[in-house]
Amino acid sequence: MNRFRAFLAGMLGFLAIAAATYGAHRLSVSPNLPHAVETWKTAVLYHFVHVLALLSLSRFPKGFTVPTLCFLFGILLFSGSLYTWILTANAGWIRLTPFGGSLLGIGWLWLGIEALLRKPPAPAP
């Protein structure tokens, strides 16, 4: 088990719960952002899905570093930029969203390729 990945998944999972709770109970949106609630829900969904991906990667003591980093920075850029855009009503933040989405996609692609090419662990004696 990779304890750092499990820790990272735990912390990001807590933040996803906090974001979901905030969105459900406290989010007040500007009339200039008509789709803000749906956008917030999308950000939380992508955040959570990739936390679960990180948690599943924590089972592996080694390897999968690139997908881990892609998921981490993808969450920060994709979900983080959407959260910040809605909270600040500053549309400049959404310029980062496609980079985050691309990192999430690259993370999944790299995970699949690495899983295919990875040698299975040697059986225990």
Side-chain angles (χ1 to χ4, degrees), residues 2-96:
N2 186 307
R3 290 177 42 191
F4 179 72
R5 281 191 200 125
F7 169 78
L8 194 59
M11 295 303 102
L12 288 169
F14 170 79
L15 291 175
I17 287 288
T21 303
Y22 182 82
H25 299 287
R26 293 284 209 189
L27 184 62
S28 60
V29 296
S30 164
N32 298 333
L33 300 172
H35 302 291
V37 173
E38 293 85 11
T39 301
W40 189 274
K41 288 179 181 180
T42 299
V44 169
L45 175 65
Y46 277 61
H47 187 156
F48 255 125
V49 166
H50 292 89
V51 164
L52 294 175
L54 281 172
L55 185 60
S56 70
L57 289 176
S58 72
R59 291 190 47 222
F60 300 95
K62 295 181 181 176
F64 297 103
T65 302
V66 172
T68 297
L69 292 173
C70 286
F71 292 154
L72 170 63
F73 289 108
I75 290 169
L76 294 174
L77 289 175
F78 182 84
S79 296
S81 66
L82 292 176
Y83 296 148
T84 306
W85 170 48
I86 292 166
L87 292 173
T88 66
N90 180 346
W93 287 100
I94 59 173
R95 291 185 208 139
L96 298 175

Side-chain angles (χ1 to χ4, degrees), residues 109-121:
L109 183 63
W110 198 292
L111 185 151
I113 292 169
E114 188 170 343
L116 182 65
L117 299 177
R118 180 174 279 284
K119 291 182 181 179

